[in-house]
């Protein structure tokens, strides 16, 4: 049944990671839908840029200016909390102060290559992500267990199993007995593993304390604009193209415009679930407005279609008016390039999602964004430098 036309009452929604690529457009979208929104962030994403010597292709304003611009344009207020989720006092105080009905949690280190740089980055990623989420679970349990946690997970938690990927849970029959178990996970980086650990901690909190949580196992996101961010340049969200934080389709678009070969890793046979950023914000809205039950650990696969990396490269190349060269680089990651991939992703559609499938129009609009800021591109940042097998070569620092 579609719930999309139902009139929904205004909710208090706290968006953790609200200064990031997806958190900021989501906060705007929820505010535009009439919800009372607050954002939280420690700005560590902006620090990674300083560390790596790169920056978003599209210039982004400070959170302060973004919020002030939104208020000037729409009259709507977004509250902000500046702090780190791994600090329990900050997390508890914020949840007690804002009293949200839903907490949308984007606030994690989200780049697989960043987590594979060396031991230090792997440990940072897992401590930041797992400890931050644990603090959020405790703060919810001790403040108001009715608060619905909507947490961003990732399709990469599942890996590429040789059976269909279900939405989080699997019915199994073993030696004549049946059970419903968490879907077995086999992720491909220490980052993706951090999400698996989070999922287990959330399921435990739902089962033991009766919390309510939705895990949104999202595919690779593409796109840069939503109706809200397009209202004013000062509302723009970031657009990463570097080899650490840039995601595959966004990178290929920038490479096509700059006449750089598309960096397909290996044969490009690896298939991934993908999703348009406009669908990301809508999915989060649907999850908030249709909460999980108390004690329920609900999982949705937040992706709209599956494409291999080679198909993504072909689609970008076909949409670009000039010639595009594809460079099959030695794959710096360890991943299957030939595999089965069939994902169930009906839960969000049943709640009312009407997917934007990948189109030439969308890709062309990304070409336009890239052309506008092409002089900001650092071509050196395009080459992958993080090797999944780095630890074996004594390349990692203690
Ligand atoms: P992002 O790095 O742009 O945003 C994350 C935000 O969280 C940043 O602003 C960062 O400063 C903040 N943050 C990180 N750790 C924090 C902490 N300890 N305390 C407070 N703030 C903290 O990432 P994104 O691309 O917007 O992704 C958001 C979420 O969605 C992540 O959890 C990511 O794993 C998930 N996701 C992203 C994609 C994608 O393609 N971008 C796909 C699937 C899932
Ligand atoms: N790839 C290339 N060339 C490139 C970049 C990537 O061939 O220049 C390939 C990778 O080898 C991989 C695929 O494209 O097979 C996806 O890579 P990616 O960097 O676009 O995405 P990934 O590392 O999986 O991570 C991104 C987000 C992460 C999110 C994840 C969703 O950074 O936050 O969790 O997408 S998913 O992949 O479904 O787990």
């Amino acid at each position: 049944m579609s719930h999309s036309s139902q009139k929904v009452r205004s909710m208090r929604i706290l968006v953790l990671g609200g200064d990031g690529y997806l958190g900021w457009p989501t906060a705007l979208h929820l505010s535009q839908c009439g919800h009372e929104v607050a954002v939280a962030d420690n700005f560590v994403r902006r620090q990674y840029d300083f560390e790596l010597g790169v920056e978003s292709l599209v210039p982004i304003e400070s959170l302060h200016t973004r919020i002030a611009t939104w208020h000037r344009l729409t009259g709507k207020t977004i509250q902000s909390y500046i702090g780190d989720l791994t600090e329990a006092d900050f997390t508890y105080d914020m949840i007690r102060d804002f009293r949200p009905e839903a907490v949308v949690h984007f606030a994690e280190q989200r780049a697989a290559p960043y987590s594979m740089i060396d031991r230090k980055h792997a440990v940072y990623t897992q401590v930041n992500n797992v400890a931050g989420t644990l603090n959020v679970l405790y703060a919810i349990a001790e403040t108001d267990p009715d608060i619905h946690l909507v947490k961003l997970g990732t399709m990469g938690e599942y890996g590429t199993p040789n059976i269909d990927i279900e939405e989080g849970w699997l019915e199994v029959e073993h030696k004549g007995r049946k059970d419903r178990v968490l879907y077995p996970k086999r992720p491909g980086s220490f980052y993706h593993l951090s999400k698996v650990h989070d999922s287990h901690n959330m399921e435990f909190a739902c089962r033991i304390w009766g919390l309510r949580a939705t895990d949104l196992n999202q595919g690779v996101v593409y796109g840069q604009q939503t109706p809200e961010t397009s209202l004013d340049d000062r509302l723009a969200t970031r657009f990463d193209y570097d080899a650490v934080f840039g995601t595959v389709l966004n990178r290929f678009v920038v490479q096509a415009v700059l006449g750089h070969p598309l960096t397909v890793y290996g044969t490009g046979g690896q298939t991934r679930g993908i999703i348009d950023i406009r669908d990301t914000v809508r999915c989060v809205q649907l999850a908030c407005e249709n909460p999980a039950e108390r004690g329920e650990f609900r999982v949705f696969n937040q992706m709209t279609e599956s494409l291999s990396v080679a198909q993504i490269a072909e689609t970008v190349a076909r949409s670009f008016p000039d010639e595009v060269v594809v460079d099959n680089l030695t794959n710096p990651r360890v991943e299957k390039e030939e595999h089965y991939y069939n994902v169930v992703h009906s839960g969000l559609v049943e709640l009312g999602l009407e997917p934007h499938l990948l189109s030439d129009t969308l890709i062309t609009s990304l070409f336009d964004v890239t052309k506008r800021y092409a002089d900001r591109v650092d071509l050196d940042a395009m080459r992958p430098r993080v090797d999944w097998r780095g630890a074996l070569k004594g390349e990692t620092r203690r």
Side-chain angles (χ1 to χ4, degrees), residues 21-22 41-42 44-45 84-85 110 128 191 195 219 221:
Y21 170 51
L22 303 176
D41 212 290
N42 66 351
V44 70
R45 176 67 191 89
D84 190 327
L85 294 181
R110 69 98 172 135
N128 185 64
Y191 152 70
K195 297 282 191 183
V221 180

Side-chain angles (χ1 to χ4, degrees), residues 64 151 165 180 198 222 272 301 337 350 354:
H64 188 83
K151 161 76 168 49
I165 295 176
R180 179 173 180 261
D198 285 339
Y222 59 88
R272 295 288 178 267
N301 291 337
E337 289 168 14
E350 280 161 23
E354 290 164 19

Side-chain angles (χ1 to χ4, degrees), residues 110-113 153-157 191-192 218-220 245-248 251-252 255 263-265 270 272-273 309 331 333 335:
R110 69 98 172 135
T154 181
M155 282 304 299
E157 288 184 41
Y191 152 70
H192 287 95
Q218 182 168 242
V220 186
F245 274 89
T247 47
V248 62
R251 272 168 65 71
F252 288 175
Q255 291 166 349
T263 54
V264 170
Y265 299 163
Q270 59 276 33
R272 295 288 178 267
V309 168
N331 197 336
R333 306 187 184 197
E335 54 190 356

Side-chain angles (χ1 to χ4, degrees), residues 71-358:
H71 183 65
R72 256 196 311 279
L73 285 176
T74 65
K76 295 175 192 293
T77 304
I78 294 179
Q79 221 173 302
S80 64
Y81 295 90
I82 308 309
D84 190 327
L85 294 181
T86 64
E87 286 167 18
D89 286 347
F90 166 73
T91 306
Y92 275 68
D93 290 348
M94 169 175 64
I95 289 184
R96 286 184 182 145
D97 183 65
F98 188 64
R99 287 269 164 188
E101 293 162 85
V103 172
V104 179
H105 181 11
F106 287 100
E108 299 203 328
Q109 190 301 98
R110 69 98 172 135
Y114 189 88
S115 76
M116 298 300 290
I117 293 175
D118 58 13
R119 185 207 62 82
K120 194 170 108 188
H121 289 81
V123 171
Y124 163 75
T125 299
Q126 293 211 352
V127 170
N128 185 64
N129 296 2
V130 178
T133 299
L134 265 175
N135 284 346
V136 171
L137 289 169
Y138 265 93
I140 288 176
E142 292 182 24
T143 307
D144 176 3
D146 232 14
I147 296 170
H148 177 208
L149 176 61
V150 177
K151 161 76 168 49
L152 272 292
T154 181
M155 282 304 299
E157 288 184 41
Y158 301 109
T160 50
N162 200 31
I163 55 173
D164 285 4
I165 295 176
E166 304 295 329
E167 297 203 89
W169 294 89
L170 186 66
E171 302 282 346
V172 290
E173 188 170 345
H174 182 64
K175 296 184 179 170
R177 301 185 65 80
K178 288 185 182 168
D179 206 346
R180 179 173 180 261
V181 298
L182 281 181
Y183 195 96
K185 308 282 177 70
R186 202 189 279 161
S189 75
F190 283 122
Y191 152 70
H192 287 95
L193 268 160
S194 74
K195 297 282 191 183
V196 175
H197 305 327
D198 285 339
S199 296
H200 281 274
N201 288 342
M202 287 160 64
E203 188 275 337
F204 180 82
C206 293
R207 181 161 43 89
I208 303 303
W209 298 332
L211 298 196
R212 52 172 101 228
T214 301
D215 207 1
L216 296 173
N217 284 339
Q218 182 168 242
V220 186
V221 180
Y222 59 88
Q224 194 266 334
Q225 288 171 328
T226 63
E228 290 83 22
T229 64
S230 307
L231 290 175
D232 190 294
D233 279 351
R234 287 165 296 181
L235 297 177
T237 197
R238 50 182 313 127
F239 192 63
D240 298 305
Y241 65 90
D242 63 279
V244 175
F245 274 89
T247 47
V248 62
L249 193 142
N250 291 350
R251 272 168 65 71
F252 288 175
V253 163
V254 175
Q255 291 166 349
V257 171
L258 291 169
H260 188 285
L262 307 194
T263 54
V264 170
Y265 299 163
T267 59
Q270 59 276 33
T271 299
R272 295 288 178 267
I274 60 172
I275 181 167
D276 186 307
I277 191 169
R278 293 170 295 177
D279 290 341
T280 294
V281 304
R282 173 77 175 139
C283 289
V284 172
Q285 178 204 348
L286 289 167
C288 290
E289 292 174 358
N290 300 278
E293 300 296 331
R294 283 293 298 271
E296 183 188 8
F297 175 63
R298 181 175 67 167
V299 185
F300 292 133
N301 291 337
Q302 184 165 308
M303 52 164 281
T304 54
E305 58 194 314
S306 301
L307 286 183
S308 72
V309 168
Q311 284 171 322
I312 295 174
E314 277 159 28
T315 312
V316 170
R318 212 180 35 240
S319 308
F320 196 65
D322 300 334
E323 202 203 344
V324 173
V325 176
V326 171
D327 196 357
N328 288 92
L329 302 179
T330 304
N331 197 336
R333 306 187 184 197
V334 177
E335 54 190 356
K336 285 188 202 146
E337 289 168 14
E338 300 297 327
H339 60 89
Y340 180 76
Y341 200 70
N342 190 36
V343 182
V344 175
H345 50 99
S346 49
L348 286 157
V349 172
E350 280 161 23
L351 289 183
L353 176 68
E354 290 164 19
H356 292 88
L357 297 182
L358 185 59

